[in-house]
């Protein structure tokens, strides 16, 4: 549907009541430069590496040998969610690259990505954070109740928990799909049809409620609360593992129990490495959320909007690093994962070598045949 330019809302957001001429920490030029460098030169290569790693992780962890373990089910689903998050993140940052060839097309893509794709990115990002909490809960049971973990934590129950977490996140955040959208109008300046991002009537009629939902409830429930719980569980698991190590040094253990303890420690170390990276990468986003809650001037249209844009760009880097790092942890600390990965690369290399040898053989046969034909023709001519 094409709208006339005069029928549009002039601003997608409410005008800021603050004086933009007041003193600021970061200027608009610095914020624009940071955003341009991060969006154009930092995010794309990390996203490409992360996508390849997550796809390989999903293939390996979904195999028959790997999916027997409950932790691998969580990690496989985490790889899927991270791959989707990286894809939506790249699509939202793509206008920076497109702008180098066509500024108008880049603006169109940017406006389109501000609506529903932004909500998809938010859903996948919050799911990734909550899956780190699921990993911590599973390891908490395994470390504190090792004799009951196989009874309490089963593949079916893990699948049920993942389904419930997904339903909660999607059910809560999908409200954002109804709050804003893009409409199309003919722009005389560009002499073409352009999109416009506007609020829907449901938001305009209930602005106070949805502002509390967007800027208070959603950040607290899906950013601050999960990060806080993950940190608490992480510290508790690390302390408990140290107590177990001291206790094992003081008692006599059979070889079987020692093997079980070694397996528990190696698996916990790998998962806690993944969770530790997640904490480091997600913590800037939690701090950013605290700033937003503490001062409403620290918003996209507030007095400190340039500081918000600059810090949010750094938060985006942390989020994509968090979604890209798990593959390297699995390859380095999971022997079964690394063994299967090595087999995959060996098979690919073997196939490439076989094709190369076949091509060389065909070229040799073709060359010899050509020489034979030339010799025969030469003799007949003579």
């Amino acid at each position: 549907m094409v709208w006339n330019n005069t029928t549009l809302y002039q601003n997608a957001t409410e005008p800021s009541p603050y004086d933009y001429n007041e003193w600021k920490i970061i200027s608009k030029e610095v914020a624009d430069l940071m955003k341009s460098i991060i969006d154009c030169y930092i995010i794309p290569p990390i996203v490409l590496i992360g996508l390849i790693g997550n796809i390989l992780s999903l293939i390996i962890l979904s195999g028959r040998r790997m999916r027997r373990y409950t932790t691998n089910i969580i990690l496989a689903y985490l790889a899927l969610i991270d791959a989707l998050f990286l894809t939506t993140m790249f699509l939202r940052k793509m206008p920076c690259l497109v702008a180098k060839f066509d500024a108008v097309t880049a603006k169109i893509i940017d406006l389109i990505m501000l609506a529903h794709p932004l909500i998809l990115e938010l859903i996948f990002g919050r799911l990734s954070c909550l899956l780190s909490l699921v990993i911590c809960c599973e390891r908490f049971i395994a470390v504190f109740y090792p004799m009951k973990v196989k009874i309490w934590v089963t593949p079916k129950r893990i699948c049920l928990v993942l389904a419930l977490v997904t339903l909660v996140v999607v059910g809560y955040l999908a409200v954002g799909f109804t709050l804003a959208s893009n409409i199309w109008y003919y722009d005389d300046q560009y002499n073409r049809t352009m999109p416009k991002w506007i609020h829907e009537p449901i938001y305009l009629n209930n602005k106070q409620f949805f502002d509390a939902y967007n800027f208070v409830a959603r950040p607290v429930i899906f950013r601050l609360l999960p990060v806080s719980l993950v940190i608490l569980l992480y510290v508790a698991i690390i302390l408990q593992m140290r107590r177990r190590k001291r206790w094992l040094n003081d008692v006599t253990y059979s070889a079987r129990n020692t093997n079980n303890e070694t397996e528990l420690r190696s698996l916990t170390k790998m998962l806690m490495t993944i969770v530790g990276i997640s904490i480091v990468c997600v913590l800037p986003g939690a701090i950013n959320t605290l700033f937003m809650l503490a001062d409403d001037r620290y918003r996209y249209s507030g007095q400190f909007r340039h500081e918000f844009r600059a810090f949010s760009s750094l938060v985006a880097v942390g989020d994509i690093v968090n979604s890209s790092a798990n593959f390297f942890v699995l390859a380095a600390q999971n022997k079964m994962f690394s063994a299967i990965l090595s087999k995959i690369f060996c098979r690919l290399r073997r196939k490439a070598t076989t094709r190369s040898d076949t091509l060389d053989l065909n070229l040799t046969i073709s060359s010899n045949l050509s020489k034979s034909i030339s010799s025969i023709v030469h003799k007949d001519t003579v």
Side-chain angles (χ1 to χ4, degrees):
M1 180 177 183
V2 179
W3 289 58
N4 187 284
N5 196 14
T6 58
T7 63
L8 298 174
Y9 293 105
Q10 296 301 316
N11 294 298
T13 58
E14 293 292 329
S16 174
Y18 304 108
D19 183 7
Y20 290 146
N21 294 322
E22 293 183 11
W23 177 80
K24 302 180 184 67
I25 299 174
I26 297 178
S27 64
K28 180 180 184 299
E29 290 74 18
V30 173
D32 290 341
L33 179 62
M34 288 182 61
K35 191 175 188 309
S36 177
I37 293 174
I38 289 173
D39 291 356
C40 293
Y41 304 107
I42 296 179
I43 287 181
I46 299 177
V47 166
L48 179 61
I49 295 171
L51 276 175
I52 295 173
N54 282 306
I55 292 172
L56 288 173
S57 297
L58 184 60
I59 293 172
I60 295 173
L61 294 171
S62 300
R64 184 176 300 177
R65 291 175 57 190
M66 299 292 284
R67 64 170 179 259
R68 295 179 298 174
Y69 303 96
T70 55
T71 52
N72 290 340
I73 296 175
I74 304 174
L75 292 174
Y77 189 61
L78 179 60
L80 173 62
I81 295 300
D82 284 341
L84 293 174
F85 172 75
L86 291 173
T87 302
T88 53
M89 172 69 80
F90 177 76
L91 291 175
R92 282 219 317 115
K93 303 300 182 181
M94 188 172 58
C96 182
L97 298 174
V98 177
K100 297 183 180 298
F101 305 96
D102 189 342
V104 178
T105 303
K107 184 177 181 179
I108 293 174
I109 297 174
D110 190 31
L111 290 171
I112 292 174
M113 292 300 162
L114 281 175
H116 296 167
L118 179 62
I119 304 301
L120 286 175
E121 178 192 319
L122 186 65
I123 289 173
F124 297 137
R126 297 302 171 266
L127 262 176
S128 180
C129 186
L130 285 178
L131 289 178
S132 296
L133 180 59
V134 173
I135 292 175
C136 278
C137 292
E138 189 272 342
R139 277 300 92 187
F140 183 86
I141 297 173
V143 170
F144 282 86
Y145 306 98
M147 304 301 294
K148 298 181 179 180
V149 62
K150 291 185 178 180
I151 300 175
W152 293 353
V153 183
T154 62
K156 289 184 179 180
R157 289 180 179 178
I158 285 295
C159 292
L160 179 61
V161 169
L162 296 178
L164 289 175
V165 170
T166 304
L167 287 175
V168 169
V169 174
V170 173
Y172 193 92
L173 297 180
V175 178
F177 288 118
T178 64
L179 302 183
S181 63
N182 285 308
I183 56 175
W184 295 83
Y185 71 100
Y186 186 79
D187 195 308
D188 297 330
Q189 178 183 355
Y190 298 106
N191 194 28
R192 62 188 296 182
T193 303
M194 298 285 290
K196 180 82 172 180
W197 185 87
I198 64 167
H199 289 301
E200 294 289 354
I202 186 174
Y203 171 83
L204 298 175
N205 295 332
N206 303 276
K207 185 177 183 302
Q208 186 174 1
F209 171 79
F210 285 114
D211 282 347
Y213 160 83
N214 286 322
F215 299 115
V216 179
R218 190 176 69 187
V220 170
I221 295 174
F222 291 102
R223 177 70 89 171
L224 294 180
L225 186 59
V227 172
S228 301
L229 291 175
V230 166
I231 293 175
L232 290 175
L233 290 173
Y234 181 85
V235 173
I237 292 169
I238 297 299
L239 293 177
Q240 180 64 11
M241 290 302 296
R242 290 183 177 180
R243 293 193 197 100
R244 287 178 63 87
K245 185 177 180 180
R246 288 197 298 266
W247 178 74
L248 288 174
N249 292 334
D250 295 335
V251 299
T252 304
Y253 237 46
S254 65
R256 179 181 177 185
N257 288 332
T258 303
N259 293 334
N260 291 338
E261 184 66 23
T262 302
E263 182 180 353
L264 174 65
R265 291 187 65 82
S266 62
L267 182 57
T268 302
K269 179 182 178 182
M270 182 194 71
L271 294 176
M272 289 303 99
T273 301
I274 291 175
V275 173
I277 293 174
S278 176
I279 292 173
V280 173
C281 293
V282 174
L283 199 56
I287 296 173
N288 195 44
T289 300
L290 285 175
F291 287 162
M292 291 176 59
L293 295 175
D295 192 343
D296 60 357
R297 294 176 300 174
Y298 185 75
R299 301 279 173 84
Y300 187 79
S301 58
Q303 176 184 345
F304 300 108
R305 67 195 188 281
H306 301 314
E307 291 79 1
F308 175 81
R309 290 177 62 231
F311 198 12
S312 296
S313 298
L314 297 177
V315 170
V317 174
D319 289 338
I320 64 170
V321 170
N322 177 42
S323 296
S324 304
N326 295 344
F327 168 77
F328 300 99
V329 177
L330 290 169
Q333 299 188 12
N334 190 316
K335 293 181 180 180
M336 187 180 296
F337 184 93
S338 59
I340 297 175
L341 182 64
S342 298
K343 288 182 179 180
I344 291 175
F345 281 113
C346 287
R347 287 176 183 175
L348 293 176
R349 184 177 180 181
R350 195 177 304 158
K351 288 181 179 179
T353 304
T354 303
R355 290 177 181 176
S356 178
D357 293 342
T358 303
L359 181 61
D360 292 340
L361 180 61
N362 292 336
L363 290 175
T364 302
I365 294 173
S366 177
S367 178
N368 293 335
L369 184 60
S370 299
K371 291 179 180 179
S372 300
I373 294 173
S374 300
S375 176
I376 294 172
V377 171
H378 180 70
K379 289 181 180 180
D380 291 342
T381 305
V382 174

